[in-house]
Amino acid sequence: MILALGFGATGLMKFGGASAMVTMFDQIGVGQSLRYLIGSLELAAAIGVLIPVLSGIAALGLTALMIGAAVTNITVLHTNPLTPVVFLVISVPVAVSQWPQTRAAARIILHRN
């Protein structure tokens, strides 16, 4: 639930054009299209972690996003990566606890036994 609330809020801020998010993506120098993409991914994953069959893959996606965010904070923005690291620490246990279910879903999708 914490993941859904946290990422729902940050996804809405990015997707909704909050001035802090617009400024941050300007500083990153990749354009605002990435802000919309990341915001959309965060919103989708926030919903996904609430759906049992999707929670593992959603948390795995959030883990990847937070690794990217932490690296970007350190190497591009030269800011403290505390926020993405906190969300990373919360995302990893969810992804790990749901791993068997995520593997089973992947097998079904890939048609493997």
Side-chain angles (χ1 to χ4, degrees):
M1 186 65 146
I2 292 171
L3 281 179
L5 290 173
F7 283 103
T10 60
L12 285 173
M13 288 174 61
K14 286 179 182 82
F15 198 71
S19 62
M21 296 298 165
V22 171
T23 300
M24 181 176 66
F25 280 85
D26 278 342
Q27 291 172 340
I28 293 170
V30 294
Q32 297 302 310
S33 296
L34 185 63
R35 176 175 56 86
Y36 287 115
L37 175 64
I38 299 296
S40 298
L41 291 171
E42 287 179 351
L43 285 171
I47 294 166
V49 296
L50 297 174
I51 301 169
V53 71
L54 299 176
S55 64
I57 193 72
L60 192 61
L62 291 173
T63 298
L65 283 173
M66 290 304 96
I67 290 170
V71 169
T72 300
N73 279 12
I74 294 166
T75 62
V76 178
L77 297 173
H78 307 291
T79 59
N80 187 331
L82 180 63
T83 300
V85 168
V86 167
F87 279 116
L88 177 65
V89 167
I90 297 169
S91 298
V92 169
V94 175
V96 169
S97 72
Q98 297 298 317
W99 186 247
Q101 189 172 12
T102 302
R103 266 184 82 190
R107 285 185 186 145
I108 291 168
I109 292 168
L110 298 174
H111 303 295
R112 294 184 183 169
N113 292 328

